[in-house]
């Protein structure tokens, strides 16, 4: 699947444009460093502990005037900053790269820049280029060097003002300022492994210009997803978020030592070193087992020193990572889509690594749903392996959960292939699409079917007619235009009973926030909301940014059957049927109103359709949910190059999307062999 995604990237964006992700992907574990003027304050302003928000954003949360905040630079003199010692600590922890804040939201730069004198060389008594020193130390130490860069800037006069969300629009003067600073970073400090953009809301053109600039000078540099608009080389999850689902693109979880802050906080309650080390080690393993990389943050003090607690945590983690390096570095995600209570799995070649991070299983037994594989050798706390009809049954020793996180290594007779997770008869492939930090979601970039024949019948709606689609079987690609389908009326839709309709909103939050979909008097899609009966199946709503609205329609079906519904939305939309997500995507940038159709497969009896509409940018949004006037689908015959006697996977994706991470929007397409 990773190979197929690489092909999609090349086709969609032009060969050679996107960075080579292999080295970055194999590194797995990196150090994040939040360091700047805010480190001097340590979460305290004028003798008061600032408890709201992250301490690196203290200027905003404490309401500090810009001229007073500038005066902090007069005393910022981190003479105990030692780049070589930080590199040595990262290596001791098992980290393969370092990413440091070259500039955070406050606009203060840790590098010498011609764009502003608000930098560590020109504005402080320290007068040393911290970015330059750390980049050189990383090269001496043999680990990769990366940079964080904030797109928002509270010090730049022409930039948008401070907001509570920092996902503000980027003015054109500010964008040119960002381009100039990023050019300095990618041309003055040698090879950069990743450029970690953060916050702001670029236009698609602004995102593309920054992305192209980085790769013009640093072709192998990986760009983070928070640049926005799908221009990235790796997706970034939300702060301190560890997904348990598969994402078929390069991705990373960023985590702080403490969820409350990233920058140094002098009064932080730090607790027990061992407990924190185990917590972050398990987070690292969880991320890697799901195919991601882990970026763990430290926040040095204003003196430049690493907080002793954070140093000791990293040292303890390092004792495990060096001992079990084979299970951590250069590995691929678990081949299983299930989440196991006993721990996590990684794989490399014909080896499986069972990492016992969870609860001790009953009778010390683990069942792996593997058929057709033989265990050739075992290592670690395992006493027996037995083949059964439903998989491999492992019996662990009594010592397996007695102390540190143990690893069971299984050498198989052949590499274990990822299992297909079939949903609604097909397997989705996921990436991550986004406009900015808050507006992002796990996008469906393709669908796959396992087939036995070469002749297929495609079913689609009028919405897909005229669409060009790429089919892949193995290394062969075939383009098909949905244009020659025969119309077929959907039967029985006149017997459907459209029941009660409910509405709720607005709800604040990102597009990808989890939903609760039961409709009763107390539960609604988001906390602190309730469903209310409505007789309106279409409405335009005055709205503020980051707001979501929900419409729930009950439908009673006499039998299992299909129905077409018309929906409308503004910036983003999702449709759920009986609690299952059927489709979700962002509409085109700054879209006010979009009409589309969704083909639903109803079960007998009561059904619930939930429409989620999302507003990021606009002053109004809209919704519509009603049965389509024309209940018609189209069927088209297609022949693909499938060899007889094989059971290949056929993968389909829409052609011509703006980025390889955009949703393919083929939720209505069905494929059946004939």
């Amino acid at each position: 699947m990773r190979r197929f995604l690489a092909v999609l990237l090349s086709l969609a964006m032009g060969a050679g444009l996107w960075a080579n992700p292999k080295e970055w992907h194999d590194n797995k574990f990196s150090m994040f460093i939040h360091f700047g003027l805010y480190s001097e304050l340590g979460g305290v302003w004028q003798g008061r502990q600032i408890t709201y928000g992250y301490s690196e954003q203290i200027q905003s949360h404490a309401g500090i005037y810009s001229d007073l905040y500038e005066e902090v630079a007069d005393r910022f003199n981190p003479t105990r900053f030692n780049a070589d010692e930080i590199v040595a600590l990262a290596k001791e922890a098992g980290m393969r790269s370092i990413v440091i804040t070259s500039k955070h939201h406050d606009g203060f730069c840790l590098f010498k820049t011609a764009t502003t004198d608000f930098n560590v060389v020109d504005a402080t008594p320290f007068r040393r280029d911290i970015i330059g020193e750390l980049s050189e130390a990383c090269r001496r130490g043999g680990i990769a060097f990366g940079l964080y860069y904030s797109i928002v800037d509270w010090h730049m006069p022409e930039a948008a003002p401070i907001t509570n969300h920092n996902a503000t629009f980027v003015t054109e003067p500010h964008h040119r300022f960002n381009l100039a600073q990023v050019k300095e970073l990618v041309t003055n400090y040698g090879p950069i492994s990743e450029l970690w953009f953060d916050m702001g809301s670029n236009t698609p053109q602004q995102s593309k210009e920054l992305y192209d600039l980085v790769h013009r000078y640093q072709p192998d540099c990986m760009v983070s997803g928070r640049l926005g608009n799908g221009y990235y080389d790796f997706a970034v999850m939300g702060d301190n978020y560890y997904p348990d689902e598969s994402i078929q693109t390069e991705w990373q979880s960023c985590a702080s030592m403490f969820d409350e802050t990233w920058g140094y906080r002098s009064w932080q309650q730090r607790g027990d070193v061992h407990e924190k080390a185990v917590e972050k080690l398990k987070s690292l393993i969880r991320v890697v087992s799901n195919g991601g990389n882990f970026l763990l943050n430290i926040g040095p003090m204003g003196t430049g020193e690493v907080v002793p607690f954070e140093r000791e945590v990293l040292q303890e983690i390092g004792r495990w990572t060096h001992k079990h390096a084979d299970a951590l570095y250069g590995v691929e995600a678990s081949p299983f889509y299930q989440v196991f209570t006993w721990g996590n799995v990684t794989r490399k070649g014909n080896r499986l690594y069972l990492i016992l991070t969870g609860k001790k299983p009953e009778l010390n037994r683990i069942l792996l749903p593997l058929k057709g594989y033989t265990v050739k050798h075992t290592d670690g706390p395992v006493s027996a392996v037995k083949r059964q009809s439903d998989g491999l049954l492992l019996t662990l020793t009594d010592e397996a959960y007695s102390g540190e996180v143990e690893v069971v290594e299984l050498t198989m007779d052949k590499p274990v292939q990822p299992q297909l997770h079939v949903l609604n008869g097909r397997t989705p492939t996921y990436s991550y699409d986004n406009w900015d930090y808050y507006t992002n979601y796990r996008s469906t970039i393709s669908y796959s079917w396992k087939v036995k024949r070469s002749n297929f019948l495609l079913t689609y709606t009028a919405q897909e007619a005229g669409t060009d689609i790429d089919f892949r079987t193995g290394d062969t690609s075939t383009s098909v235009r949905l244009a020659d389908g025969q119309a077929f009326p959907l039967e029985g839709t006149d017997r459907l009973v459209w029941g009660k309709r409910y509405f709720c909103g607005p709800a604040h939050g990102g597009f990808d926030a989890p939903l609760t979909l039961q409709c009763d008097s107390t539960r609604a899609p988001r906390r602190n909301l309730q469903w209310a009966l409505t007789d309106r199946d279409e409405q335009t709503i005055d709205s503020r940014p980051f707001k979501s609205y929900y419409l729930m329609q009950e439908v009673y079906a006499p039998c299992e059957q299909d129905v077409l519904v018309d929906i409308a939305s503004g910036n983003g939309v999702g449709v759920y049927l009986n609690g299952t997500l059927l489709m979700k995507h962002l509409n085109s940038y700054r879209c006010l109103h979009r009409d589309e159709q969704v083909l639903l497969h109803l079960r007998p009896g009561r059904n619930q359709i939930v429409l989620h509409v999302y507003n990021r940018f606009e002053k109004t949004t809209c919704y519509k949910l009603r049965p389509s006037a024309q209940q018609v689908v189209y069927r088209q015959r297609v022949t693909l190059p499938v060899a007889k006697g094989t059971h290949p996977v056929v993968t389909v994706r829409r052609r011509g999307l703006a980025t390889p991470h955009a949703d393919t929007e083929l939720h209505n397409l069905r494929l059946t062999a004939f």
Side-chain angles (χ1 to χ4, degrees), residues 15 58 69 79 168 183 200-201 216 242 247 307 361 373 405 424 453 499 524 583 633 672:
I58 191 171
Y69 191 75
T79 56
T168 46
K183 182 177 180 181
S201 287
R216 185 178 309 131
Y242 317 106
I247 304 171
V307 177
Y373 292 89
V405 175
N424 299 317
R453 301 180 183 178
M583 60 84 83
V633 296
T672 53

Short mmCIF file of all heavy atoms in Angstrom, two decimals, residues 15 58 69 79 168 183 200-201 216 242 247 307 361 373 405 424 453 499 524 583 633 672:
data_model
loop_
_atom_site.label_atom_id
_atom_site.label_comp_id
_atom_site.label_asym_id
_atom_site.label_seq_id
_atom_site.Cartn_x
_atom_site.Cartn_y
_atom_site.Cartn_z
N ALA A 15 6.66 14.09 -10.93
CA ALA A 15 7.77 13.26 -10.48
C ALA A 15 8.88 14.13 -9.93
O ALA A 15 9.25 15.14 -10.48
CB ALA A 15 8.27 12.41 -11.64
N ILE A 58 2.56 32.64 26.35
CA ILE A 58 2.25 33.49 27.51
C ILE A 58 1.98 34.93 27.11
O ILE A 58 1.18 35.62 27.75
CB ILE A 58 3.40 33.41 28.54
CG1 ILE A 58 2.97 34.07 29.86
CG2 ILE A 58 4.70 33.97 27.99
CD1 ILE A 58 3.96 33.85 30.99
N TYR A 69 6.86 42.89 26.12
CA TYR A 69 7.38 41.56 25.79
C TYR A 69 8.75 41.68 25.12
O TYR A 69 9.64 40.86 25.37
CB TYR A 69 6.40 40.83 24.86
CG TYR A 69 6.72 39.36 24.68
CD1 TYR A 69 6.44 38.44 25.70
CD2 TYR A 69 7.31 38.90 23.51
CE1 TYR A 69 6.74 37.09 25.54
CE2 TYR A 69 7.60 37.55 23.34
CZ TYR A 69 7.32 36.65 24.36
OH TYR A 69 7.63 35.33 24.21
N THR A 79 23.24 31.30 28.63
CA THR A 79 24.66 30.95 28.54
C THR A 79 24.91 29.47 28.83
O THR A 79 26.00 28.97 28.53
CB THR A 79 25.47 31.80 29.53
OG1 THR A 79 24.93 31.63 30.86
CG2 THR A 79 25.40 33.28 29.13
N THR A 168 -5.38 32.13 12.09
CA THR A 168 -5.78 33.35 11.42
C THR A 168 -5.32 33.35 9.97
O THR A 168 -4.37 32.66 9.59
CB THR A 168 -5.18 34.57 12.14
OG1 THR A 168 -3.79 34.30 12.40
CG2 THR A 168 -5.86 34.82 13.45
N LYS A 183 13.22 31.07 3.41
CA LYS A 183 14.36 30.96 2.48
C LYS A 183 15.67 31.05 3.24
O LYS A 183 16.63 30.30 2.94
CB LYS A 183 14.28 32.05 1.42
CG LYS A 183 15.42 31.94 0.39
CD LYS A 183 15.29 32.98 -0.72
CE LYS A 183 16.44 32.83 -1.71
NZ LYS A 183 16.36 33.84 -2.80
N GLY A 200 -1.84 29.27 11.68
CA GLY A 200 -2.19 30.11 10.56
C GLY A 200 -3.12 29.42 9.59
O GLY A 200 -3.32 28.21 9.63
N SER A 201 -3.72 30.21 8.69
CA SER A 201 -4.57 29.67 7.62
C SER A 201 -4.12 30.25 6.30
O SER A 201 -4.56 31.33 5.88
CB SER A 201 -6.05 30.01 7.88
OG SER A 201 -6.56 29.24 8.94
N ARG A 216 12.66 23.56 -3.36
CA ARG A 216 13.59 24.12 -4.33
C ARG A 216 15.02 24.07 -3.79
O ARG A 216 15.98 23.78 -4.52
CB ARG A 216 13.20 25.55 -4.66
CG ARG A 216 14.04 26.20 -5.77
CD ARG A 216 13.55 27.62 -6.05
NE ARG A 216 12.11 27.63 -6.27
CZ ARG A 216 11.27 28.48 -5.67
NH1 ARG A 216 11.72 29.37 -4.81
NH2 ARG A 216 9.97 28.42 -5.91
N TYR A 242 -2.78 10.37 19.84
CA TYR A 242 -2.19 9.13 19.35
C TYR A 242 -3.30 8.28 18.71
O TYR A 242 -4.05 7.60 19.41
CB TYR A 242 -1.55 8.35 20.50
CG TYR A 242 -0.76 9.20 21.46
CD1 TYR A 242 -1.25 9.51 22.73
CD2 TYR A 242 0.47 9.71 21.10
CE1 TYR A 242 -0.52 10.29 23.60
CE2 TYR A 242 1.21 10.49 21.96
CZ TYR A 242 0.71 10.79 23.22
OH TYR A 242 1.43 11.57 24.08
N ILE A 247 -3.25 4.93 8.79
CA ILE A 247 -3.21 6.04 7.84
C ILE A 247 -2.12 5.71 6.84
O ILE A 247 -0.96 5.52 7.22
CB ILE A 247 -2.91 7.38 8.55
CG1 ILE A 247 -3.94 7.65 9.65
CG2 ILE A 247 -2.88 8.53 7.55
CD1 ILE A 247 -3.59 8.82 10.53
N VAL A 307 15.68 20.73 31.63
CA VAL A 307 15.11 20.46 32.96
C VAL A 307 15.57 19.08 33.42
O VAL A 307 15.42 18.10 32.67
CB VAL A 307 13.58 20.53 32.91
CG1 VAL A 307 12.97 20.18 34.26
CG2 VAL A 307 13.13 21.92 32.46
N PRO A 361 -2.70 -10.94 29.39
CA PRO A 361 -3.85 -11.68 28.87
C PRO A 361 -4.22 -12.86 29.77
O PRO A 361 -3.38 -13.38 30.53
CB PRO A 361 -3.35 -12.16 27.51
CG PRO A 361 -1.87 -12.26 27.66
CD PRO A 361 -1.48 -11.15 28.61
N TYR A 373 0.60 -19.01 8.00
CA TYR A 373 1.96 -18.65 8.39
C TYR A 373 2.49 -19.65 9.41
O TYR A 373 1.74 -20.21 10.21
CB TYR A 373 2.02 -17.24 8.99
CG TYR A 373 1.74 -16.14 8.00
CD1 TYR A 373 0.44 -15.69 7.79
CD2 TYR A 373 2.77 -15.54 7.29
CE1 TYR A 373 0.17 -14.67 6.89
CE2 TYR A 373 2.52 -14.51 6.39
CZ TYR A 373 1.22 -14.08 6.19
OH TYR A 373 0.96 -13.07 5.31
N VAL A 405 8.79 -3.16 29.89
CA VAL A 405 8.02 -3.56 28.72
C VAL A 405 8.83 -4.59 27.94
O VAL A 405 9.92 -4.30 27.44
CB VAL A 405 7.70 -2.34 27.83
CG1 VAL A 405 7.01 -2.78 26.55
CG2 VAL A 405 6.83 -1.34 28.60
N ASN A 424 -18.10 -2.05 4.11
CA ASN A 424 -19.11 -1.94 3.05
C ASN A 424 -18.64 -2.58 1.74
O ASN A 424 -18.87 -2.06 0.66
CB ASN A 424 -19.48 -0.47 2.82
CG ASN A 424 -20.08 0.18 4.05
OD1 ASN A 424 -20.90 -0.42 4.73
ND2 ASN A 424 -19.65 1.40 4.35
N ARG A 453 -12.27 -11.88 -11.11
CA ARG A 453 -12.55 -11.82 -12.55
C ARG A 453 -12.05 -10.51 -13.13
O ARG A 453 -11.68 -9.58 -12.40
CB ARG A 453 -14.04 -11.98 -12.80
CG ARG A 453 -14.62 -13.30 -12.26
CD ARG A 453 -16.10 -13.39 -12.55
NE ARG A 453 -16.69 -14.60 -11.98
CZ ARG A 453 -17.98 -14.91 -12.05
NH1 ARG A 453 -18.82 -14.10 -12.69
NH2 ARG A 453 -18.44 -16.02 -11.50
N GLY A 499 -39.52 9.94 8.49
CA GLY A 499 -40.06 10.22 9.82
C GLY A 499 -39.59 11.54 10.39
O GLY A 499 -39.41 12.54 9.68
N ALA A 524 -26.57 14.06 22.10
CA ALA A 524 -26.49 14.68 20.78
C ALA A 524 -25.07 14.51 20.27
O ALA A 524 -24.21 13.97 20.96
CB ALA A 524 -26.88 16.15 20.89
N MET A 583 -19.35 9.01 4.23
CA MET A 583 -18.53 9.94 3.44
C MET A 583 -18.23 11.16 4.29
O MET A 583 -18.99 11.54 5.17
CB MET A 583 -19.24 10.35 2.15
CG MET A 583 -20.59 11.03 2.34
SD MET A 583 -20.51 12.82 2.64
CE MET A 583 -20.38 13.42 1.00
N VAL A 633 -29.70 5.28 -10.70
CA VAL A 633 -28.26 5.05 -10.72
C VAL A 633 -27.86 4.58 -12.12
O VAL A 633 -28.72 4.26 -12.96
CB VAL A 633 -27.83 4.01 -9.67
CG1 VAL A 633 -28.11 4.51 -8.27
CG2 VAL A 633 -28.50 2.66 -9.93
N THR A 672 -18.81 -4.57 -8.90
CA THR A 672 -19.18 -5.98 -8.77
C THR A 672 -18.70 -6.73 -10.01
O THR A 672 -18.70 -6.19 -11.12
CB THR A 672 -20.70 -6.16 -8.63
OG1 THR A 672 -21.36 -5.47 -9.71
CG2 THR A 672 -21.19 -5.60 -7.30
#
